[in-house]
Amino acid sequence: MASDFVQRRATLQDVAAAVGVSKATVSKALNGRNDISPDTRERVLAAVAELEYRPTTLPAPSAQRRALAVVFDLPASPYILGVLQGTLTETTDSGVDLLVRLAPERTSRAHRAVAREWITDQRASGVIGIIGLTLSEPDGLIDAANDASLPFIIVDPVDTRHPRMVSVGSSNWSGARTATEHLIDLGHRRIAWVGGPEASDAARDRRLGYQAALDSAGIPIDPALIRSGPFAVATGADRGRELLTSPHPPTAIMAADDEIAVGVLASAHGLGIPVPERLSVTGFDDTPQAAWTTPPLTTVYQHLEGMGAMAVQTILAMAEGRSPSSSHVELATSLTVRGSTAVSPAT
């Protein structure tokens, strides 16, 4: 069947001719109409697959269904999965569909035409609002969405200074300060910091919280104990090894997220340094893996599902024409103490 049309793109008329029905019947089958027989629908759909027919226009989105799109450009991680779970639960409860999208490539979406076309495609899919998750360079998409009057909100934005941004995050500064104070209370004085990307506002706020706790305790900030890198296990492994093999290694290492902390634990294990007897380690996020490390990880809990749910609630309100009460909403954090921290060996 397909051999008659291999040199050109199949049309609706081609499908109709192959099945022996009218174009109107083919259209009914494609649009899920129930006024044709099941046998006819099956034959039409079989011909569509055989001919590799693709409609040239999208059907108008149903007025009965609404959809939100979640877009990100980072590989899947326990953090992302936690936020996605919150968005999925909230959209389900709200009767809204949830679409998951990869953002356009970083450099291409800086071009207005690319960003504008991407936003247009989302609207054509019935999307009434977009949730950006840890986008590294979201400005082009935000501007294009605003120009199209399509609500856009960022969860844990890399840069909160964008003038048209609405965002949801956690109290990163106070969370990191609380974790640092926990280590200070345990007698640690050489407390190292392995942070996330320097361009990330969340990583910067967590480092500032760490430094504020040291300042308050009268502990000098040692630049030799501060490292940074991507939010990844490899960062913790590499930077942790550098710190632990230095002439004056720390007795505690604070990681900017749980993945970095896992890498630090791996380095300590590889170097034969017992945790927490000789080294205390803390993380940030309290992802499910934190409870299963060896030893279980002391970490700052941030409500990942709550951030996802809050993003959905905010974007739905914006889609209804209501302005958010604040351009940036912060959820509280708390410290989950487990077995990776203990009294400093120096004490």
Side-chain angles (χ1 to χ4, degrees):
M1 188 182 299
S3 59
D4 295 335
F5 308 107
V6 293
Q7 300 302 320
R8 61 182 176 84
R9 179 172 178 168
T11 66
L12 198 70
Q13 181 59 51
D14 294 332
V15 177
V19 182
V21 298
S22 67
K23 290 197 298 182
T25 299
V26 174
S27 181
K28 289 179 181 180
L30 292 175
N31 288 296
R33 295 274 294 276
N34 58 10
D35 52 350
I36 62 174
S37 69
D39 177 67
T40 299
R41 177 179 290 106
E42 289 182 9
R43 290 191 295 120
V44 168
L45 296 180
V48 166
E50 178 71 14
L51 297 174
E52 298 183 353
Y53 167 74
R54 295 292 183 272
T56 56
T57 58
L58 291 171
S62 169
Q64 303 302 316
R65 299 299 302 175
R66 299 182 300 167
L68 296 179
V70 173
V71 56
F72 57 91
D73 60 6
L74 293 176
S77 68
Y79 168 87
I80 289 178
L81 294 177
V83 177
L84 281 177
Q85 184 170 339
T87 60
L88 180 59
T89 300
E90 188 65 25
T91 51
T92 300
D93 291 344
S94 301
V96 179
D97 293 331
L98 183 65
L99 309 178
V100 178
R101 301 283 194 250
L102 285 176
E105 197 271 333
R106 294 182 184 181
T107 55
S108 67
R109 71 173 181 253
H111 298 285
R112 294 180 62 86
V114 172
R116 186 166 52 245
E117 181 179 1
W118 190 87
I119 292 295
T120 299
D121 288 344
Q122 305 317 305
R123 188 182 285 284
S125 299
V127 170
I128 61 171
I130 299 174
I131 299 171
L133 180 54
T134 65
L135 294 184
S136 57
E137 296 177 15
D139 297 22
L141 298 183
I142 294 175
D143 288 337
N146 275 281
D147 291 342
S149 298
L150 186 63
F152 199 117
I153 189 170
I154 297 286
V155 177
D156 249 359
V158 171
D159 184 355
T160 58
R161 293 165 292 183
H162 192 286
R164 304 170 77 178
M165 177 185 292
V166 178
S167 60
V168 175
S170 291
S171 51
N172 293 298
W173 184 90
S174 63
R177 175 165 182 158
T178 299
T180 310
E181 290 172 341
H182 167 68
L183 293 172
I184 293 171
D185 290 343
L186 291 172
H188 293 278
R189 294 298 179 266
R190 288 191 61 76
I191 303 172
W193 174 259
V194 180
E198 295 186 2
S200 165
D201 280 3
R204 181 202 63 202
D205 289 346
R206 292 171 191 180
R207 177 175 53 81
L208 292 176
Y210 150 81
Q211 293 176 337
L214 295 181
D215 283 339
S216 180
I219 301 173
I221 296 172
D222 185 352
L225 295 179
I226 297 178
R227 300 285 194 280
S228 64
F231 287 119
V233 174
T235 298
D238 295 340
R239 305 297 183 268
R241 188 179 303 107
E242 292 172 5
L243 289 164
L244 295 174
T245 57
S246 65
H248 302 288
T251 62
I253 296 179
M254 293 186 59
D257 79 341
D258 289 350
E259 289 195 76
I260 294 176
V262 168
V264 170
L265 289 173
S267 284
H269 177 74
L271 293 169
I273 299 173
V275 177
E277 291 80 7
R278 285 178 51 197
L279 176 71
S280 288
V281 179
T282 67
F284 203 111
D285 288 339
D286 203 5
T287 53
Q289 68 180 6
W292 297 100
T293 58
T294 303
L297 184 65
T298 293
T299 183
V300 177
Y301 170 80
Q302 59 173 340
H303 199 331
L304 301 180
E305 293 181 28
M307 286 195 292
M310 178 63 71
V312 171
Q313 294 168 11
T314 303
I315 204 74
L316 288 178
M318 293 169 65
E320 294 171 359
R322 288 179 282 157
S323 298
S325 57
S326 173
S327 62
H328 181 65
V329 178
E330 283 195 352
L331 277 64
T333 56
S334 60
L335 185 66
T336 302
V337 179
R338 298 193 179 99
S340 67
T341 53
V343 172
S344 168
T347 304

